[in-house]
Amino acid sequence: MNGPGEFICRVSRQVSLGTNYYLIELEAPVLAQTVSPGQFAMLCCGEGFDPFLRRPLSIHQVNKHLGLVSFLYKVRGKGMSWLSRRQSGDQVSLLGPLGRGFNCSKPGSKGLLVGAGVGVAPLLFLASELVDRGWELFILMGGRSESGILRPDTFMEYGEVKIATEDGTSGIQGSILELLADELEKSSFDRLFSCGPVAVLKGVQGMSKEKGIPAELSLDEWMACGVGACMGCVCQSADGSYLRVCREGPVFEAGEVVLSG
Amino acid sequence: MNGPGEFICRVSRQVSLGTNYYLIELEAPVLAQTVSPGQFAMLCCGEGFDPFLRRPLSIHQVNKHLGLVSFLYKVRGKGMSWLSRRQSGDQVSLLGPLGRGFNCSKPGSKGLLVGAGVGVAPLLFLASELVDRGWELFILMGGRSESGILRPDTFMEYGEVKIATEDGTSGIQGSILELLADELEKSSFDRLFSCGPVAVLKGVQGMSKEKGIPAELSLDEWMACGVGACMGCVCQSADGSYLRVCREGPVFEAGEVVLSG
Amino acid sequence: MADLAVNLAGIKMENPVMSASGTFGSGVEYDSVFDIGMMGALVTTGLTLESKVGNRPPRLCETPAGLLNAVGLQNPGVDVFIKDVLPEMLDFGVPVIANIAGSTKDEFVEIAEKFSGTGVAGLEINISCPNVKTGGMALGTAPEVAAQVVGSVVESTDLPVIVKLTPNVTNIVELARAVAAAGADALSLINTLLGMVIDVEQRKPMLGNVVGGLSGPAIRPVAVRAVWQVAQAVKIPIIGMGGICTGRDALEFILAGASAVAVGSAFFNDPLAAVRIIKELDEYCGEHGVDRLQDLVGAVWK
Amino acid sequence: MADLAVNLAGIKMENPVMSASGTFGSGVEYDSVFDIGMMGALVTTGLTLESKVGNRPPRLCETPAGLLNAVGLQNPGVDVFIKDVLPEMLDFGVPVIANIAGSTKDEFVEIAEKFSGTGVAGLEINISCPNVKTGGMALGTAPEVAAQVVGSVVESTDLPVIVKLTPNVTNIVELARAVAAAGADALSLINTLLGMVIDVEQRKPMLGNVVGGLSGPAIRPVAVRAVWQVAQAVKIPIIGMGGICTGRDALEFILAGASAVAVGSAFFNDPLAAVRIIKELDEYCGEHGVDRLQDLVGAVWK
Ligand SMILES: Cc1cc2nc3c(=O)[nH]c(=O)nc-3n(C[C@H](O)[C@H](O)[C@H](O)COP(=O)(O)OP(=O)(O)OC[C@H]3O[C@@H](n4cnc5c(N)ncnc54)[C@H](O)[C@@H]3O)c2cc1C
Ligand SMILES: Cc1cc2nc3c(=O)[nH]c(=O)nc-3n(C[C@H](O)[C@H](O)[C@H](O)COP(=O)(O)OP(=O)(O)OC[C@H]3O[C@@H](n4cnc5c(N)ncnc54)[C@H](O)[C@@H]3O)c2cc1C
Ligand SMILES: Cc1cc2nc3c(=O)[nH]c(=O)nc-3n(C[C@H](O)[C@H](O)[C@H](O)COP(=O)(O)O)c2cc1C
Ligand SMILES: Cc1cc2nc3c(=O)[nH]c(=O)nc-3n(C[C@H](O)[C@H](O)[C@H](O)COP(=O)(O)O)c2cc1C
Ligand code: FES
Ligand code: FES
């Protein structure tokens, strides 16, 4: 098994994507070679012991050739706030690659990506990998308003993009789930791939079942170790036991998990 | 009483003075007007709660006209390390002016300043004030080696400077206390003013008593509140009770305190 | 403006934010920093019958997100305090609560009696100080002993009696029940956790007193748990404290069951902490449509 | 290289740095991150007689300089563990200590017996878990009850028996004395402090289990104090833990009286914490002319 490693990475770029959203690019050649879509890393986001825990972030984009890995993130609290103040040349420690990502080798050729808010983060890397494998992609992006629709132009390079915002400032006014329902009415897909708030994941899970289309969901839980050692980050599995999001996930087949919250 | 206030100050300059020593200059017009030599401020030195306490730093230099106050400091641990990474334009919170400083209105005209290591910090502001009041000053500076002799050229503007380093890389090789003993043999002074490690303060205290020359000592203790509220920062007084370094000090007459450690 | 007022066992406060004993001097020390009259109430430093020099230094040591202290109740004694310090505290125009620390039951009674008619709004009985050899925590870990002290004080005074408990016990609920049954009008939770830091260079304890009391954000989860447990077991109001630095921290205690909160170590991190917390409580009420903050007391379990 | 080796109640370790139960999985999870064979010893996660699903999520909540957890001993049960997990742990070539968590005295004995001849180097009796309804802390706060459990396990096994104590007691020394008298070969100090965090938006507890155990640097002063108190009262060796993140932190425990130390939450802050701590211990010895690290055990009071 090619397990995770601890790396001290130079920041090559930090880009602000409007209020509260950032893209950080790190020099991480080993990680760039070994990581696959849907996997994540635990980033050290502070100096003292407050914050104490590392922060899980999904791999957003990879440049194997240049050995670069980037993360797309939203500033929620002090960890992400600290990260957003790193500048090129600074160093950031991370542990990765972690978890079980999307299963890009499953059969199929027509995929629908459903990303809400910063949940689009892992979907860009996924899109590039799927397109490399010959998939045709359709991409749904949702958010509160236009400023929460992240990097739509870049996503367009991989497939047709449709947008829904709650306030109608971009795309249709409404929920990404309405967009999804529409899309599933209109055409058929081999597989759904989704990441975002639990309400969105639940919607995707429901429609996946209803339509009989397999779906993969990327879950979010508080994490401590990130490697499966502490049993802290569990979600409920269909059989009632608990699965570690950091190890058995963060990406699960829709039927594997019971979503709560 | 003109008490302390809480101020959020813009950093106007951060200068590295060789390994581990820095000079930070802040825009603090109110403080610049009200502070006197030997007083200090409690600086917030971090973002989360680790470090949790503010750090006491003596006022090093004041530009009343421009409303600037600067601090000279040594990076020991995480607080000073954080401070050293502030750049011009960043903001730093501080509480000040605090404590009882040097008594510049005491009679006399010939003074000897004794500063060891970063203990010279409060002595520059003191020197400028004393010279303004017509004192003639002699300044002894001590340190482990040349790199620990801070801003000798600036001190020279206020009086004759003599230097002692343990390794002889600057001035005489030896202790600042030898320099002091020499100096007290050679001439007479109206008052001694000292700041530095407790061993140096003890030496000054001893010679002050022996020669009958009054001395003022600036003490160092762990502090929490800095304003006299928590009773945390005490030193022993000559009568066996405990005095708050942050309130009754940090500057004491040599005869007032019993030094330990 | 939401209604932040609270009537705590007869002590009327405009808002629930008090100072924690021993961390705020007489208030005068912070007088120029902010308007002390904004505080809900002031609590004095621990007062003993005779003056006390306190423990030898060092008395403080910073710890991760916390502070270890062993001041040891340095104070001028209750008589000097009442004569010289109390008047300036009363001048702030907010209720003043005297934190009293006897070393025996009888001393507690004697000190309590001295406070009759002095203008203090209540007494906080400190049977939880970890930094003194006699009295303090020694009187506050066994329910029967604590109840005896409290009962005697309650009998000897007309003032509301608040009992400050230590978290350094197996069962804080049992302790709280015992002092409530003995007539306590309110409880203060929590005093500091017993801790120690060692200087690995000198190979000796950092504090002159060897061990000390741990406070600050580090202990907040322990304090919230204690309030949550005790609030469900007793009927008297609770003053919650332990690492409160923000309005949200204060709300954790209120939701757990505290009617008021005290700010202590936070002053050392931010001298404006109390003012900011009051503002943040008001903002929270505004944002969440809460008219009376007291409606939230114990909302987590009620 | 200083001599860092320690023989802890017959368990021979090349250095005193162990993993803390429940924080390090079976070691396999960190296998690619660093050389697990460098550790002094590995301690398993808490093991119960039958498999246990654990508490419902959320199980974790970050606190200032700390972590609150309520995992609730999720584990496959002792039989599956011995068959499937233990072999890969033993493969690392360092002593493996089984942390066992019965819900009754008899269950403790039954689990202990299952470990005979399995290759584990010792048993750590967990009578201090705050996150389970039966067993755990409930068996570990009353000295007589704790002593009974320990006595029974000691009789039923030839393995060294380490007893892990909770700090959530009035008198940890009394507890330590009782289990030492009952035949414990060593003590582990401390398990987590009982704590709680409230979500002020949802107005409900952050953890699915409501309360949890507080660990990390926040609790270090409490842990060092406990080790310092207990080490002076008992003759058996102590494994110190609670917030150890650096070599200096480990030294605080050693100077206070611990013969070995365990690293837990620190792994979450820095996965390389244990390796770094071992290096820093060696450096300290080098810089201070210490030939045998064990010479420093208890140096603060000896
Ligand atoms: C596998 C995985 C991949 C992730 N990938 C990304 C990503 O690519 N981009 C991104 O922006 N975010 C991602 N997240 C979420 C991200 O980890 C959190 O936003 C981050 O930890 C917040 O840290 P903070 O210090 O800024 O906020 P904090 O101060 O820690 O918290 C701010 C608020 O967010 C809540 N919160 C924090 N962390 C979590 C969490 N893990 N789950 C639920 N609530 C939480 C807190 O309760 C609090 O209310 C991912 C999470 C997981 C588990
Ligand atoms: C009134 C006063 C004025 C001061 N003025 C200056 C000044 O002008 N320039 C300057 O460089 N320093 C000054 N100091 C000392 C300065 O406050 C400490 O060096 C600083 O707090 C260290 O913070 P840190 O986070 O970098 O180190 P920490 O990580 O907190 O500590 C590093 C080491 O220093 C020790 N230490 C830290 N603070 C103190 C303290 N207050 N007393 C004794 N030991 C301590 C710790 O035990 C530790 O070993 C002054 C102190 C006082 C009380
Ligand atoms: C420096 C200091 C001195 C204290 N003195 C007293 C005291 O005299 N009487 C008392 O009951 N509590 C005393 N305490 C405890 C506090 O009142 C409070 O209970 C504790 O610090 C927890 O709150 P905090 O974390 O907000 O500081 C003291 C705390 C500190 C930090
Ligand atoms: C996530 C987690 C799980 C734990 N599980 C166990 C356990 O199963 N058995 C046990 O005895 N202690 C358990 N503990 C307690 C630790 O072993 C240790 O005693 C405590 O965390 C203090 O050390 P630390 O601050 O270095 O983490 C657990 C701690 C954490 C953080
Ligand atoms: S975060 Fe530790 S098991 Fe997932
Ligand atoms: S630091 Fe609080 S009294 Fe001096």
Side-chain angles (χ1 to χ4, degrees):
Chain A
M1 199 196 73
N2 207 339
E6 167 76 1
F7 302 102
I8 299 178
C9 306
R10 215 178 139 271
V11 177
S12 56
R13 233 161 31 113
Q14 171 88 262
V15 185
S16 162
L17 301 176
T19 346
N20 279 334
Y21 295 101
Y22 292 84
L23 181 79
I24 192 169
E25 187 184 73
L26 305 178
E27 295 175 7
V30 177
L31 189 63
Q33 288 304 324
T34 51
V35 72
S36 61
Q39 286 191 301
F40 67 101
M42 295 290 283
L43 280 78
C44 181
C45 290
E47 281 134 67
F49 294 125
D50 181 33
F52 181 64
L53 298 178
R54 291 184 169 209
R55 302 305 195 226
L57 289 182
S58 300
I59 312 289
H60 175 57
Q61 221 172 353
V62 171
N63 186 326
K64 283 195 192 183
H65 188 60
L66 297 177
L68 300 173
V69 171
S70 60
F71 301 91
L72 178 70
Y73 62 99
K74 177 177 176 176
V75 173
R76 283 206 178 105
K78 50 195 170 187
M80 293 300 112
S81 163
W82 183 91
L83 193 65
S84 72
R85 278 174 277 122
R86 296 314 98 195
Q87 303 172 336
S88 46
D90 288 348
Q91 293 188 324
V92 172
S93 302
L94 63 76
L95 177 69
L98 299 170
R100 185 182 69 163
F102 293 101
N103 194 330
C104 300
S105 57
K106 279 274 163 70
S109 63
K110 193 171 167 202
L112 183 60
L113 311 192
V114 185
V118 75
V120 300
L123 300 184
L124 191 67
F125 183 22
L126 172 66
S128 95
E129 188 75 21
L130 288 175
V131 166
D132 278 357
R133 288 171 185 256
W135 284 61
E136 181 192 9
L137 297 183
F138 296 80
I139 301 160
L140 308 183
M141 302 178 79
R144 215 157 283 168
S145 68
E146 190 178 10
S147 62
I149 303 298
L150 304 168
R151 311 192 77 198
D153 299 349
T154 314
F155 275 100
M156 281 175 206
E157 294 171 22
Y158 298 98
E160 190 182 325
V161 170
K162 289 196 180 150
I163 293 173
T165 54
E166 285 172 27
D167 64 1
T169 45
S170 178
I172 68 150
Q173 174 162 14
S175 143
I176 191 171
L177 292 177
E178 295 169 33
L179 217 53
L180 174 61
D182 263 18
E183 215 57 35
L184 294 180
E185 279 310 311
K186 284 192 288 195
S187 36
S188 72
F189 297 92
D190 296 318
R191 201 161 255 271
L192 311 179
F193 304 88
S194 185
C195 182
V198 75
V200 171
L201 297 182
K202 269 187 170 171
V204 174
Q205 193 184 36
M207 292 189 225
S208 147
K209 194 171 174 191
E210 199 187 305
K211 302 275 174 189
I213 307 173
E216 295 182 40
L217 312 176
S218 179
L219 267 53
D220 194 352
E221 241 326 312
W222 276 88
M223 292 183 174
C225 71
V227 298
C230 76
M231 300 290 161
C233 64
V234 299
C235 65
Q236 211 178 335
S237 85
D239 69 10
S241 69
Y242 290 114
L243 299 169
R244 294 166 297 182
V245 172
C246 74
R247 189 91 179 181
E248 281 83 48
V251 179
F252 293 93
E253 291 286 336
E256 278 180 290
V257 290
V258 180
L259 298 174
S260 65
Chain B
M1 198 195 76
N2 208 338
E6 168 75 2
F7 303 101
I8 299 178
C9 308
R10 215 178 138 273
V11 176
S12 57
R13 231 158 38 108
Q14 173 86 262
V15 187
S16 162
L17 301 176
T19 345
N20 279 335
Y21 295 102
Y22 292 84
L23 182 78
I24 192 167
E25 188 183 70
L26 305 179
E27 294 175 7
V30 178
L31 189 63
Q33 288 304 324
T34 51
V35 73
S36 61
Q39 287 191 301
F40 67 102
M42 295 290 285
L43 281 78
C44 180
C45 290
E47 281 135 69
F49 294 125
D50 183 32
F52 181 64
L53 299 178
R54 290 183 170 209
R55 301 310 195 221
L57 288 182
S58 300
I59 312 289
H60 174 57
Q61 220 171 353
V62 171
N63 186 327
K64 283 194 192 183
H65 188 60
L66 297 178
L68 300 172
V69 171
S70 60
F71 300 90
L72 177 71
Y73 62 98
K74 177 177 175 174
V75 172
R76 282 205 178 106
K78 50 195 169 185
M80 294 300 112
S81 161
W82 184 89
L83 192 65
S84 72
R85 276 173 278 123
R86 293 319 95 192
Q87 301 173 336
S88 45
D90 288 349
Q91 293 189 323
V92 172
S93 302
L94 63 76
L95 178 69
L98 299 170
R100 186 182 69 162
F102 293 101
N103 193 330
C104 299
S105 58
K106 278 275 164 70
S109 64
K110 193 170 168 203
L112 183 60
L113 311 191
V114 185
V118 74
V120 301
L123 300 183
L124 191 66
F125 183 21
L126 173 66
S128 95
E129 187 75 20
L130 288 175
V131 165
D132 278 357
R133 289 170 183 254
W135 285 62
E136 181 192 8
L137 298 182
F138 296 81
I139 301 158
L140 309 183
M141 303 179 77
R144 215 156 282 167
S145 67
E146 190 178 10
S147 62
I149 304 298
L150 304 168
R151 311 192 74 199
D153 298 348
T154 313
F155 275 100
M156 280 177 206
E157 295 171 20
Y158 298 97
E160 191 183 321
V161 170
K162 289 197 179 149
I163 293 172
T165 53
E166 284 173 29
D167 64 1
T169 44
S170 177
I172 68 149
Q173 173 161 13
S175 144
I176 190 170
L177 291 175
E178 296 169 32
L179 217 51
L180 173 61
D182 262 20
E183 215 56 34
L184 293 180
E185 279 310 313
K186 282 192 288 192
S187 35
S188 72
F189 297 92
D190 296 318
R191 204 160 252 273
L192 310 179
F193 304 88
S194 184
C195 183
V198 76
V200 171
L201 296 182
K202 269 189 171 168
V204 174
Q205 193 184 34
M207 291 188 225
S208 149
K209 192 170 175 190
E210 200 185 304
K211 300 276 174 186
I213 306 174
E216 294 182 41
L217 312 176
S218 179
L219 267 54
D220 194 351
E221 239 328 310
W222 276 88
M223 292 184 175
C225 70
V227 297
C230 76
M231 301 290 160
C233 64
V234 299
C235 66
Q236 212 180 331
S237 84
D239 70 10
S241 71
Y242 290 114
L243 299 169
R244 295 166 297 182
V245 172
C246 72
R247 189 92 178 178
E248 281 83 46
V251 179
F252 293 93
E253 291 286 336
E256 280 180 289
V257 291
V258 181
L259 298 173
S260 63
Chain C
M1 268 298 285
D3 176 6
L4 303 181
V6 49
N7 181 328
L8 189 118
I11 306 172
K12 294 196 185 67
M13 316 198 291
E14 289 197 8
N15 66 65
V17 181
M18 315 165 55
S19 62
S21 177
T23 64
F24 199 62
S26 62
V28 176
E29 293 82 357
Y30 282 102
D31 196 13
S32 61
V33 184
F34 69 96
D35 175 10
I36 312 298
M38 287 193 58
M39 303 277 304
L42 299 180
V43 180
T44 72
T45 199
L47 299 166
T48 51
L49 194 56
E50 308 292 337
S51 74
K52 223 169 144 67
V53 293
N55 290 325
R56 66 194 177 90
R59 290 177 175 182
L60 300 173
C61 177
E62 190 183 48
T63 71
L67 168 65
L68 197 68
N69 92 81
V71 168
L73 299 178
Q74 176 170 352
N75 80 97
V78 62
D79 292 326
V80 174
F81 175 84
I82 292 176
K83 192 164 75 55
D84 294 346
V85 186
L86 184 56
E88 46 180 35
M89 287 189 82
L90 293 170
D91 270 355
F92 289 117
V94 298
V96 172
I97 292 160
N99 180 282
I100 67 176
S103 49
T104 61
K105 189 181 72 178
D106 294 345
E107 260 190 40
F108 267 107
V109 170
E110 202 176 336
I111 304 173
E113 285 170 348
K114 284 180 190 276
F115 274 105
S116 301
T118 56
V120 301
L123 300 176
E124 184 176 63
I125 308 197
N126 179 353
I127 46 170
S128 45
C129 179
N131 295 324
V132 286
K133 294 238 150 40
T134 53
M137 237 170 73
L139 295 175
T141 50
E144 323 79 58
V145 180
Q148 273 178 25
V149 172
V150 172
S152 309
V153 174
V154 167
E155 269 174 42
S156 68
T157 184
D158 291 334
L159 293 165
V161 173
I162 303 160
V163 183
K164 185 154 176 183
L165 300 182
T166 172
N168 299 297
V169 293
T170 308
N171 190 338
I172 197 164
V173 169
E174 187 189 6
L175 194 58
R177 282 212 181 97
V179 301
D185 299 294
L187 298 173
S188 278
L189 304 175
I190 59 172
N191 210 317
T192 52
L193 289 172
L194 195 61
M196 178 177 184
V197 175
I198 289 171
D199 180 335
V200 301
E201 288 300 324
Q202 314 271 327
R203 296 185 199 154
K204 62 183 186 53
M206 276 280 191
L207 297 181
N209 190 48
V210 182
V211 295
L214 185 64
S215 63
I219 69 165
R220 194 167 59 231
V222 173
V224 171
R225 180 267 299 169
V227 169
W228 178 82
Q229 288 179 319
V230 170
Q232 294 174 77
V234 301
K235 294 225 161 57
I236 54 178
I238 294 172
I239 306 167
M241 72 199 73
I244 297 178
C245 294
T246 68
R248 308 209 140 228
D249 298 345
L251 277 156
E252 283 196 53
F253 285 84
I254 293 168
L255 294 166
S259 303
V261 294
V263 176
S265 305
F267 286 115
F268 313 149
N269 181 267
D270 175 8
L272 303 180
V275 208
R276 183 172 41 73
I277 290 168
I278 296 168
K279 195 181 98 234
E280 288 167 355
L281 284 173
D282 186 48
E283 282 167 6
Y284 178 93
C285 290
E287 284 162 19
H288 294 76
V290 175
D291 294 331
R292 290 182 61 245
L293 184 59
Q294 288 298 309
D295 293 343
L296 296 183
V297 174
V300 156
W301 52 268
K302 266 180 186 162
Chain D
M1 269 302 282
D3 177 5
L4 302 181
V6 48
N7 181 329
L8 190 117
I11 305 171
K12 293 195 187 68
M13 315 198 291
E14 288 198 9
N15 65 66
V17 180
M18 314 165 56
S19 62
S21 177
T23 65
F24 199 64
S26 63
V28 177
E29 293 84 356
Y30 282 103
D31 196 13
S32 60
V33 185
F34 69 96
D35 174 11
I36 312 297
M38 284 193 61
M39 302 278 303
L42 299 179
V43 180
T44 72
T45 201
L47 298 165
T48 52
L49 194 55
E50 307 294 335
S51 73
K52 222 169 147 63
V53 292
N55 291 324
R56 66 192 176 91
R59 291 178 175 180
L60 299 174
C61 177
E62 191 183 46
T63 73
L67 169 66
L68 196 68
N69 92 81
V71 168
L73 300 178
Q74 176 170 352
N75 80 96
V78 59
D79 292 326
V80 174
F81 175 85
I82 291 174
K83 193 164 73 54
D84 293 347
V85 187
L86 185 56
E88 44 180 35
M89 287 189 82
L90 294 170
D91 270 354
F92 290 118
V94 298
V96 172
I97 292 161
N99 181 283
I100 66 176
S103 49
T104 61
K105 190 180 72 177
D106 293 344
E107 259 191 42
F108 268 108
V109 170
E110 202 176 335
I111 303 173
E113 284 170 347
K114 285 180 188 277
F115 274 105
S116 300
T118 57
V120 302
L123 300 177
E124 184 176 61
I125 307 196
N126 179 354
I127 45 170
S128 46
C129 179
N131 296 324
V132 287
K133 294 237 152 38
T134 53
M137 239 171 70
L139 295 176
T141 51
E144 324 76 61
V145 180
Q148 271 177 27
V149 173
V150 172
S152 310
V153 174
V154 168
E155 268 174 40
S156 69
T157 183
D158 292 333
L159 292 166
V161 174
I162 303 161
V163 182
K164 185 157 178 181
L165 299 182
T166 173
N168 301 296
V169 292
T170 309
N171 191 337
I172 197 165
V173 169
E174 186 188 10
L175 194 59
R177 282 213 182 96
V179 301
D185 298 294
L187 298 173
S188 278
L189 304 177
I190 57 174
N191 209 317
T192 52
L193 290 172
L194 194 61
M196 177 177 186
V197 175
I198 289 171
D199 182 336
V200 301
E201 289 301 324
Q202 315 269 328
R203 298 186 197 154
K204 61 181 188 55
M206 277 281 192
L207 297 181
N209 189 49
V210 182
V211 295
L214 185 64
S215 63
I219 70 165
R220 195 168 59 231
V222 174
V224 170
R225 181 266 300 171
V227 168
W228 178 82
Q229 288 179 320
V230 170
Q232 295 173 75
V234 301
K235 293 227 162 56
I236 54 178
I238 294 172
I239 306 168
M241 70 200 73
I244 297 177
C245 294
T246 68
R248 305 207 143 227
D249 298 345
L251 277 157
E252 283 197 54
F253 284 84
I254 292 168
L255 293 167
S259 303
V261 294
V263 175
S265 305
F267 286 115
F268 312 149
N269 179 268
D270 175 7
L272 302 181
V275 209
R276 184 172 40 72
I277 290 168
I278 295 168
K279 196 182 95 232
E280 288 167 354
L281 284 173
D282 186 48
E283 282 167 5
Y284 179 93
C285 290
E287 283 161 20
H288 294 76
V290 176
D291 294 333
R292 289 180 62 244
L293 183 59
Q294 288 299 308
D295 293 341
L296 297 183
V297 173
V300 156
W301 51 269
K302 264 180 188 165

